[in-house]
Amino acid sequence: MYHTDMYGSLTYMNEYTHPIPWYTSCRQYLHRYVRITTKDGNVYDGFIADVNPENVTLAIPTCEAEGADDRQFGFGRRRFRRLALPLFLLSSLFLLPFFGGGFPYWY
């Protein structure tokens, strides 16, 4: 089975390289704290910020706080670095517990 992406390139897809199961899994965990392992061995922890049929975007928390000197008791807003990963590179996806505060918002 061949697949044409949004840029017009033709690639061969089989049951091992097809990104649709990864797309549905990432949509299920949207705005959740996850650990993603890629096929090249890299491991990323972060919130799934956006998912489209070709990429997943992670919001990875950083150690630096914005405005920590301006706020009472030294609590500032947490900063996030965005990282877009192609779905065909994903090897595993795990839901992780998040013990921080504020994001994601639990209703």
Side-chain angles (χ1 to χ4, degrees):
M1 172 169 62
Y2 288 94
H3 171 71
T4 305
D5 63 4
M6 61 191 266
Y7 303 108
S9 61
L10 194 65
T11 57
Y12 179 74
M13 295 292 200
N14 60 22
E15 64 270 8
Y16 302 109
T17 60
H18 201 345
I20 296 299
W22 288 117
Y23 175 74
T24 56
S25 297
C26 290
R27 288 296 294 175
Q28 179 182 3
Y29 295 135
L30 189 64
H31 304 296
R32 302 287 183 119
Y33 194 63
V34 296
R35 173 173 287 166
I36 290 180
T37 305
T38 58
K39 291 180 182 177
D40 56 359
N42 293 328
V43 178
Y44 302 100
D45 293 347
F47 295 96
I48 296 181
D50 185 37
V51 180
N52 61 35
E54 294 183 359
N55 296 319
V56 57
T57 303
L58 289 179
I60 300 173
T62 61
C63 295
E64 57 195 52
E66 177 182 315
D69 297 334
D70 300 335
R71 307 264 323 235
Q72 186 179 13
F73 304 115
F75 295 113
R77 292 189 343 217
R78 183 177 285 197
R79 302 192 120 216
F80 293 91
R81 180 177 57 94
R82 293 195 175 253
L83 175 68
L85 295 170
L87 288 177
F88 67 86
L89 281 183
L90 299 186
S91 175
S92 66
L93 174 70
F94 296 105
L95 184 63
L96 295 176
F98 179 69
F99 298 108
F103 185 80
Y105 302 107
W106 303 107
Y107 296 105

